[in-house]
Amino acid sequence: MKKFFLSLPLLIFGLTALAGCGGYDYEKHLSETRSDIFCAETEEFIVTLSCISREHPFASDGVACPRADLMEVTLTAADKQASGFTVTVSADGTDWGGEMSFRNVRDDWFYSESTDSFPEKSVTIRIDWEGQFREIEATSVKNEDTMSVSEALEHAIKQEKTAVDARMKDGAFQSEFRVRLLRRDRNYYYVGIIDGDGTTISLLLDAESGEVLARRESDS
């Protein structure tokens, strides 16, 4: 009995500390994430594979619907006249892929497929076109210092505490989040806070420190 009364204050303290860490699960309001990017380049093309988790239907309505995991492959060809690209991705003992579609707006080739798991570190990508093929190794842009999607979201929420608190009603968050890993000269995270009317707070974070490098607020 004595041990019980001695441990009770510790239990209460632990629960209080847990509540002080935030408590609210903001991740259930994620409508889209891009958690990893694999890149490779040859003289003929640049190819990128992205690991995506996205709601369906995908809409800027402030409500996060159930998400599905998919992998998206984009290819930018050096020869703009080249066509008929097909991609085959090999990772973890499985192969997948198919015929790529050309996107006029982005001037690139695109393929997407649902998945049950995402690859890690590297994948083998084979590109076939016009009787030719190239097989290349695409490596993840992430390193040991790259934050996870959860960590990037946490940094964004701390930065935008006033805006996030203003979007709470009856104990529930009334907007949705999008968190996307980006690769330019180095790794970044885009974090978007989207309201029901499409109004968006956009943050650009350093993917290692979580520092907010840019902020923009736009109407629908």
Side-chain angles (χ1 to χ4, degrees), residues 46-106:
I46 299 172
V47 62
T48 301
L49 183 151
S50 298
C51 300
I52 308 289
S53 183
R54 182 180 293 142
E55 68 175 358
H56 182 79
F58 187 57
S60 298
D61 55 7
V63 179
C65 296
R67 290 178 287 147
D69 294 338
L70 60 150
M71 290 186 279
E72 297 181 346
V73 181
T74 59
L75 181 148
T76 302
D79 180 3
K80 299 304 179 182
Q81 303 304 313
S83 62
F85 289 97
T86 298
V87 60
T88 303
V89 179
S90 301
D92 303 323
T94 60
D95 296 340
W96 57 272
E99 184 178 345
M100 305 186 80
S101 301
F102 184 70
R103 301 188 296 186
N104 286 295
V105 175
R106 301 191 180 186

Side-chain angles (χ1 to χ4, degrees), residues 160 189 191 202-206 211-216:
E160 293 294 325
Y189 270 105
V191 179
S202 298
L203 303 176
L204 182 67
L205 276 60
D206 183 290
E211 177 187 359
V212 176
L213 305 174
R215 183 189 190 277
R216 183 179 67 181

Side-chain angles (χ1 to χ4, degrees), residues 142-173:
K142 296 171 68 175
N143 58 51
E144 60 184 10
D145 296 319
T146 304
M147 294 188 305
S148 66
V149 165
S150 296
E151 290 169 328
L153 179 61
E154 183 179 350
H155 278 277
I157 290 172
K158 287 181 179 178
Q159 174 67 26
E160 293 294 325
K161 185 179 185 306
T162 300
V164 170
D165 288 349
R167 287 160 173 77
M168 297 292 292
K169 183 178 180 181
D170 297 327
F173 187 64

Side-chain angles (χ1 to χ4, degrees), residues 179-200:
V179 182
R180 301 168 181 157
L181 180 64
L182 306 174
R183 177 66 182 182
R184 299 295 183 266
D185 57 321
R186 53 196 174 105
N187 291 340
Y188 303 91
Y189 270 105
Y190 162 82
V191 179
I193 306 172
I194 301 98
D195 294 340
D197 60 359
T199 301
T200 303

